[in-house]
Amino acid sequence: MALLIRVSESRLDRGKVSLVSGAAGFLGSHLVDRLLREGHFVVGLDNLLTGSLENLGLALQNRKFLFVPEDLAALPEVHLAGRLDYIWHLASPASPVHYRRHGVETMLVNSLGTKRMLDLAVSCGAAFLLASTSEVYGDPEVHPQPESYWGRVNPNGERACYDESKRFAEALTFEYRRRYGINARVVRIFNTYGPRMQPADGRVVPNLIRQALRGEPFTIYGTGKQTRSFIYVDDLIEGLYRALTWPATDGEVFNLGNPDERSVIDLARVIAALRGVEPRMEFHPLPADDPTRRCPDITRARRVLHWEPRTPLETGLRATINCFMGVCKRHG
Ligand SMILES: NC(=O)c1ccc[n+]([C@@H]2O[C@H](COP(=O)([O-])OP(=O)(O)OC[C@H]3O[C@@H](n4cnc5c(N)ncnc54)[C@H](O)[C@@H]3O)[C@@H](O)[C@H]2O)c1
């Protein structure tokens, strides 16, 4: 059945109205909090596949937040009665553990789910942002990766359900822009970390922090010399916010990430130092299609959005470790 979201005018005031898909996830929930602080009325849509209501603890107490527990891929249509200014389409599993477990669901939310959100952008005249990923570059031959690089993705490997469905979502977004003249942009997010990540979601930062807190050796895949760039969540949210609300962003693709490239071993050493422990490493075979280098070229975001990451790795990791200590206490 089609979904009709109704928001009574009395709750809207005169502020902007935003819809965030994937609102209960790691990034979605931080974005919701930011938009509420900016005075937006926020509709948060999520089926809680990989997200949690706990992340929306603050938002759920706010009268300018409406939570809609729906599966975007299963809805034939989404309508909204009233005004809608912005659509932030973040719904999709993001960690390798999650998208391997939910491969088909990942492909459906990035294809059918993206279509639902684009149709809503057409019918409401809302500006649209697609949360894409650095994974569209696959295992790149170009370093750092500029937005103009087309990528090197294995189309039927274990990561293809995520990489290729995000590439499809990007193509669909630009096809809708050409056909219907919607105001749309794509943001390619690089590894982001911070409070509210799930300790067991399989990504490298939570893995290593969890192991440091338990006094276990660090699991390092391959030689650990493969690089990643880690951006703190507050910096990423600032970039997302500018990419959709600033002028001259329609039709753009932006890399949002930290050009401070670090090897996985280096990251493990920093986490060990913050915990005041000796780093002990346990080496395991590299998973299939794991990229060897990952580093964004953020020239365009610097120029158009006047944006760059500001949080030093040590500061961001300290905040994340503190949060994980809280989580660990809560879950015994
Ligand atoms: N966190 C990162 O480092 C990173 C990097 C690159 C791209 N991204 C992108 O950012 C977005 C958010 O990532 P995240 O880290 O917050 O992931 P997350 O798994 O924490 O959040 C995704 C949210 O989407 C929801 N969702 C999934 N399928 C849905 C469906 N069919 N209908 C409604 N809701 C659905 C989940 O329940 C979850 O709350 C994703 O699109 C991801 O691809 C994130």
Side-chain angles (χ1 to χ4, degrees):
M1 224 173 53
L3 171 70
L4 174 62
I5 303 168
R6 284 180 194 281
V7 185
S8 73
E9 270 299 322
S10 61
R11 288 175 73 181
L12 289 184
D13 305 331
R14 272 195 294 277
K16 298 287 185 193
V17 182
S18 275
L19 183 146
V20 178
S21 77
F26 164 48
L27 298 182
S29 63
H30 282 281
L31 177 64
V32 166
D33 289 347
R34 168 67 187 269
L35 295 173
L36 290 170
R37 283 200 301 277
E38 296 288 339
H40 290 218
F41 184 93
V42 183
V43 178
L45 197 149
D46 203 299
N47 66 348
L48 303 179
L49 179 69
T50 57
S52 135
L53 281 182
E54 217 174 302
N55 289 339
L56 291 171
L58 271 178
L60 288 167
Q61 296 166 27
N62 192 318
R63 60 179 286 281
K64 293 183 84 172
F65 180 67
L66 174 69
F67 183 63
V68 181
E70 291 283 354
D71 179 347
L72 200 48
L75 294 166
E77 288 170 27
V78 180
H79 301 285
L80 190 138
R83 178 161 63 80
L84 182 61
D85 298 291
Y86 300 117
I87 297 175
W88 314 75
H89 178 38
L90 274 68
S92 165
S95 89
V97 166
H98 288 153
Y99 63 67
R100 285 200 182 119
R101 191 180 303 148
H102 305 292
V104 172
E105 291 81 358
T106 301
M107 299 194 78
L108 292 180
V109 73
N110 283 320
S111 52
L112 293 176
T114 301
K115 177 169 166 23
R116 302 294 170 258
M117 291 291 91
L118 286 164
D119 285 334
L120 185 64
V122 174
S123 64
C124 291
F128 179 87
L129 177 143
L130 171 69
S132 183
T133 168
S134 56
E135 300 300 326
V136 299
Y137 297 125
D139 191 2
E141 306 110 320
V142 174
H143 300 283
Q145 294 90 50
E147 290 88 348
S148 55
Y149 177 53
W150 292 351
R152 189 167 76 112
V153 174
N154 175 350
N156 49 36
E158 284 184 7
R159 307 170 75 108
C161 61
Y162 183 63
D163 305 2
E164 291 291 19
S165 65
K166 286 289 186 183
R167 288 168 70 97
F168 176 88
E170 288 200 15
L172 192 65
T173 299
F174 276 89
E175 210 43 51
Y176 262 66
R177 184 171 177 274
R178 279 187 285 270
R179 180 180 292 194
Y180 300 106
I182 58 168
N183 179 310
R185 74 281 294 125
V186 165
V187 166
R188 294 186 182 143
I189 301 170
F190 285 65
N191 289 27
T192 309
Y193 71 97
R196 297 187 193 160
M197 289 190 96
Q198 293 175 31
D201 85 354
R203 288 183 263 196
V204 60
V205 172
N207 265 359
L208 296 180
I209 293 182
R210 204 158 67 118
Q211 290 175 327
L213 290 176
R214 290 177 171 181
E216 295 170 356
F218 291 128
T219 304
I220 306 289
Y221 295 102
T223 60
K225 289 186 182 144
Q226 67 273 29
T227 65
R228 296 291 182 270
S229 65
F230 302 103
I231 178 167
Y232 187 60
V233 62
D234 289 358
D235 292 336
L236 190 274
I237 296 297
E238 181 61 37
L240 283 185
Y241 186 76
R242 293 183 190 196
L244 183 47
T245 61
W246 277 32
T249 53
D250 177 27
E252 293 279 5
V253 177
F254 295 107
N255 282 339
L256 292 183
N258 195 339
D260 177 18
E261 193 176 356
R262 304 276 185 137
S263 70
V264 172
I265 291 245
D266 190 16
L267 174 71
R269 290 202 183 106
V270 175
I271 291 173
L274 286 170
R275 291 293 301 150
V277 296
E278 271 302 304
R280 287 182 296 133
M281 318 270 179
E282 230 176 57
F283 292 89
H284 293 258
L286 207 57
D289 300 326
D290 203 46
T292 47
R293 289 187 72 186
R294 182 68 84 227
C295 181
D297 178 334
I298 60 166
T299 309
R300 186 177 295 167
R302 280 196 173 108
R303 178 171 46 80
V304 180
L305 306 175
H306 303 169
W307 173 91
E308 60 183 1
R310 301 208 172 281
T311 311
L313 184 64
E314 285 74 7
T315 311
L317 284 176
R318 201 170 285 120
T320 312
I321 290 171
N322 287 342
C323 167
F324 274 37
M325 288 167 76
V327 171
C328 296
K329 271 185 214 136
R330 262 209 307 286
H331 295 304

